[in-house]
Amino acid sequence: MNSIPIVPQTVNEPVLSYAPGSPERALLKEALARMSGEEIEIPLIIGGREVRTGNMEAQTMPHNHGHVLARYHKAGPNEVRQAIDAAMEAWKEWSRWPWEDRLAVFQRAADLLATRWRPILNAATMLGQGKNAYQAEIDSACEFIDFLRWNTNFAQQIYREQPFSGPGMWNRLDHRPLEGFVYAVTPFNFTAIAGNLPSAPAMLGNVAVWKPAQTAVYSGYYIMKLLEEAGLPPGVINFIPGDPIPMTDVILNDRNLAGIHFTGSTAVFQTIWRTVGEKIGSYRSYPRLVGETGGKDFIVAHASADPLALSTAIVRGGFEYQGQKCSAASRLYIPESLWPTVREQTLGMLDKVRVGDPADFRNFMGAVIDRKAYDKITGYIKHAHEADDVEVIAGGTYDDSTGYFIQPTLVQVQNSAYQLMCEEVFGPVVSLYVYPDAQWEDTLRIVDKSTPYALTGAVFATDRAALLQADRELRNAAGNYYVNDKPTGAVVGQQPFGGARASGTNDKAGSILNMLRWISPRTIKETFAPAHSFEYPFMGEK
Ligand code: NAD
């Protein structure tokens, strides 16, 4: 075909309201009822084939841990090798497909997700990962659709990037996929990230071996079925749930490992990086390492801040999805003069927060993801109850009899270096330090230095000079920095996401910067009338 195609222009997928009486609410309720009434079996998907190992694990609901949603087959070393082989086989064709045909697969996936698949993936995320309807909508529907559509646009932008050609020649860049496979390792907390990590490289002609989080295999399987329906050829993405350590060991020992696209905790990413470093001589190329990891995200308020906006940001930013967002506000710095008002407003809002089954749409919060998370988070709460200079001013209670429920917990500390002000908790626990108004600048330095992370952060102030001071002092404290807004809810194409320091490689998921990591450009120079003599004019005389 003789054409220079233009990828359909994109706008962000509108967030549906799910208000009583809306058609989307009826469809979602119907999907929730149907899907929670069945128990499915999830195979591995390798080279487009369903593979059953018989080594199985159950996926249960966080808010009802006795309820099994699915039993999934786990990959062992043999299946991991098969997945690598299938990916490398698919690479031969896929890496040579016309780019517009590749991108069309993902555009189609976005449209399927915006329509028929929307209630399915939202319901899977609510049932399996414990999100409420709105949190599922902004994640598994809108953010994933946005990743799919925006990234196809970024891919086209990359292909358009071509060098200058001097007289007598034509210079070109061939934006090749990497020579090998990409290992996508995804977290439990965002269905959109789980879909994006294997599919962003795949759009650019790469192939992937995808290991979903053990607690998000259920929605992961539906992502895989969606991509298959959209026309993704067998082997381009291979879905292999299982135990991460032995599986990763096989992957990191494979010569064809060309990249790792990781989102999860800092410690795990550092272990992976260390191992790749030790084995660096054994790979065909230098593997691209892209990792978005932990956070200890802050809200710092100046005395000029709007207290109601601040209190709202604390409740939404700290407790939506039970604080299990890498971007969740988890440490607050509030001036003495504002604290009485903010305390009253925040506690008033928290009083109205309902915690329970997400299928009951009145609930703002659900349960935390699993037993391990529950034990870790409640451990911090127990410590806070016992510590001398720490006061639990809201919540602080929990109950795991049916699901892993923890009430939204607000903890006031006297020591800004207390563990809850420095360590990632990843749950509905927000700690706060009240500082004397006159120590605004010192407080900014404390915010900057308290943790190794630098993912998200927010400043609240109406005084412009104070905003300027915060901007300077906190320049390296957050990769996503918010002014008078909560530090969560980044939108693809609008606030590219990622942080530096211990929070990751800051390659900004949902932007062209991330996509650039998955190509290996080849420069081609074609000369129209090549030289016929080796001698240069300057050689004509002595
Ligand atoms: P996790 O690190 O426990 O797991 C992430 C993935 O790594 C999972 O697929 C898991 O199976 C795998 N994994 C675990 N141990 C491994 C090992 N030893 N070797 C190889 N793979 C291993 O994280 P999680 O609990 O799923 O997610 C929460 C974490 O993710 C938090 O730290 C959060 O801040 C972070 N996160 C960061 C971002 C971001 O964009 N920066 C986004 C979402 C989540």
Side-chain angles (χ1 to χ4, degrees):
M1 187 167 56
N2 297 326
S3 73
I4 302 175
I6 297 172
V7 172
Q9 294 297 305
T10 201
V11 288
N12 291 103
E13 177 67 12
V15 178
L16 303 182
S17 78
Y18 296 88
S22 61
E24 66 268 16
R25 185 183 179 102
L27 287 170
L28 181 57
K29 287 262 182 189
E30 189 271 322
L32 284 166
R34 179 172 43 77
M35 290 165 67
S36 55
E38 58 193 26
E39 182 186 307
I40 63 166
E41 182 191 341
I42 300 181
L44 318 174
I45 300 180
I46 299 175
R49 282 183 312 113
E50 296 193 347
V51 175
R52 293 178 169 75
T53 60
N55 178 14
M56 299 185 76
E57 191 93 43
Q59 178 159 3
T60 58
M61 294 177 172
H63 46 279
N64 184 357
H65 43 56
H67 187 135
V68 176
L69 288 165
R71 293 186 195 275
Y72 65 90
H73 292 260
K74 298 202 293 184
N78 279 342
E79 289 73 37
V80 178
R81 276 183 217 105
Q82 284 172 26
I84 296 171
D85 290 347
M88 293 309 297
E89 187 57 33
W91 186 92
K92 293 177 191 162
E93 268 296 308
W94 181 247
S95 64
R96 294 182 172 89
W97 266 37
W99 60 265
E100 64 268 31
D101 290 281
R102 270 193 270 117
L103 299 186
V105 170
F106 296 97
Q107 284 275 345
R108 177 167 151 75
D111 276 28
L112 289 174
L113 180 52
T115 51
R116 192 161 46 78
W117 277 85
R118 190 178 203 121
I120 300 171
L121 212 55
N122 279 343
T125 302
M126 292 172 72
L127 297 171
Q129 287 134 274
K131 295 203 171 187
N132 69 24
Y134 180 77
Q135 293 300 315
E137 168 74 3
I138 60 172
D139 166 18
S140 39
C142 300
E143 185 171 335
F144 190 18
I145 292 166
D146 286 348
F147 274 134
L148 291 165
R149 292 195 180 133
W150 281 93
N151 282 343
T152 57
N153 277 257
F154 297 137
Q156 160 144 317
Q157 229 173 296
I158 290 173
Y159 295 148
R160 266 208 214 107
E161 183 63 35
Q162 293 296 326
F164 170 75
S165 296
M169 68 184 75
W170 193 351
N171 296 323
R172 275 170 284 170
L173 275 181
D174 168 15
H175 296 282
R176 298 172 301 184
L178 306 179
E179 198 180 10
F181 69 93
V182 172
Y183 182 35
V185 184
T186 60
F188 79 84
N189 67 336
F190 273 88
T191 301
I193 297 178
N196 183 48
L197 298 199
S199 58
M203 281 180 205
L204 294 157
N206 294 287
V207 291
V209 172
W210 170 27
K211 196 208 74 55
Q214 295 95 309
T215 41
V217 174
Y218 185 61
S219 59
Y221 177 64
Y222 286 111
I223 292 173
M224 204 53 208
K225 300 310 283 177
L226 162 71
L227 293 173
E228 283 184 343
E229 187 176 326
L232 191 73
V236 172
I237 295 176
N238 300 278
F239 173 76
I240 50 166
D243 297 330
I245 295 178
M247 289 176 63
T248 303
D249 187 54
V250 176
I251 301 267
L252 300 189
N253 276 299
D254 197 285
R255 168 177 153 64
N256 288 312
L257 177 70
I260 295 178
H261 206 187
F262 176 88
T263 297
S265 56
T266 300
V268 170
F269 186 55
Q270 291 188 353
T271 306
I272 291 175
W273 189 301
R274 198 173 295 119
T275 310
V276 170
E278 280 161 10
K279 298 181 184 300
I280 198 66
S282 66
Y283 305 115
R284 188 203 306 274
S285 324
Y286 295 98
R288 302 282 167 93
L289 302 179
V290 175
E292 297 304 332
T293 59
K296 183 69 189 173
D297 311 300
F298 60 84
I299 296 180
V300 56
H302 181 256
S304 67
D306 166 355
L308 189 55
L310 175 60
S311 307
T312 307
I314 293 169
V315 174
R316 284 188 166 177
F319 298 109
E320 280 184 317
Y321 191 36
Q322 297 80 266
Q324 298 174 115
K325 299 188 184 188
C326 47
S327 54
S330 67
R331 52 183 175 123
L332 316 175
Y333 303 82
I334 301 177
E336 261 169 7
S337 59
L338 277 192
W339 176 231
T341 315
V342 172
R343 179 186 167 120
E344 194 191 326
Q345 288 169 341
T346 307
L347 295 188
M349 290 182 208
L350 288 180
D351 257 357
K352 293 193 208 141
V353 165
R354 288 177 54 127
V355 181
D357 185 336
D360 177 346
F361 282 19
R362 292 168 303 176
N363 291 326
F364 180 77
M365 285 171 56
V368 300
I369 190 72
D370 62 3
R371 161 76 48 205
K372 198 168 142 229
Y374 181 84
D375 289 345
K376 179 182 167 197
I377 300 161
T378 55
Y380 276 106
I381 296 176
K382 282 178 198 149
H383 194 279
H385 278 304
E386 286 159 13
D388 288 338
D389 48 358
V390 174
E391 190 191 352
V392 177
I393 56 176
T397 57
Y398 35 86
D399 177 3
D400 63 351
S401 47
T402 308
Y404 304 112
F405 291 110
I406 301 176
Q407 292 300 315
T409 298
L410 204 55
V411 175
Q412 184 173 355
V413 306
Q414 300 302 325
N415 173 4
S416 67
Y418 178 63
Q419 58 181 18
L420 274 177
M421 295 296 286
C422 306
E423 296 169 18
E424 185 179 49
V425 179
F426 221 62
V429 182
V430 175
S431 47
L432 70 102
Y433 175 69
V434 176
Y435 69 88
D437 290 33
Q439 289 178 17
W440 161 246
E441 285 179 54
D442 295 337
T443 303
L444 292 176
R445 280 188 278 278
I446 293 171
V447 174
D448 184 44
K449 298 279 180 285
S450 290
T451 84
Y453 301 109
L455 193 52
T456 76
V459 57
F460 278 75
T462 53
D463 176 335
R464 201 77 214 174
L467 287 177
L468 197 59
Q469 279 170 320
D471 185 68
R472 285 192 187 137
E473 234 17 274
L474 301 176
R475 186 157 186 231
N476 292 306
N480 283 59
Y481 183 72
Y482 293 80
V483 179
N484 292 320
D485 205 345
K486 65 181 168 55
T488 57
V491 172
V492 176
Q494 298 195 35
Q495 297 99 24
F497 193 78
R501 294 187 183 164
S503 291
T505 53
N506 199 14
D507 286 296
K508 296 292 187 210
S511 81
I512 195 170
L513 302 172
N514 176 282
M515 298 296 273
L516 286 167
R517 299 299 310 274
W518 309 117
I519 50 159
S520 176
R522 173 173 68 130
T523 302
I524 303 168
K525 176 189 177 190
E526 179 175 351
T527 299
F528 297 129
H532 285 174
S533 159
F534 83 93
E535 289 161 313
Y536 293 100
F538 78 94
M539 297 160 76
E541 277 182 18
K542 187 174 173 193

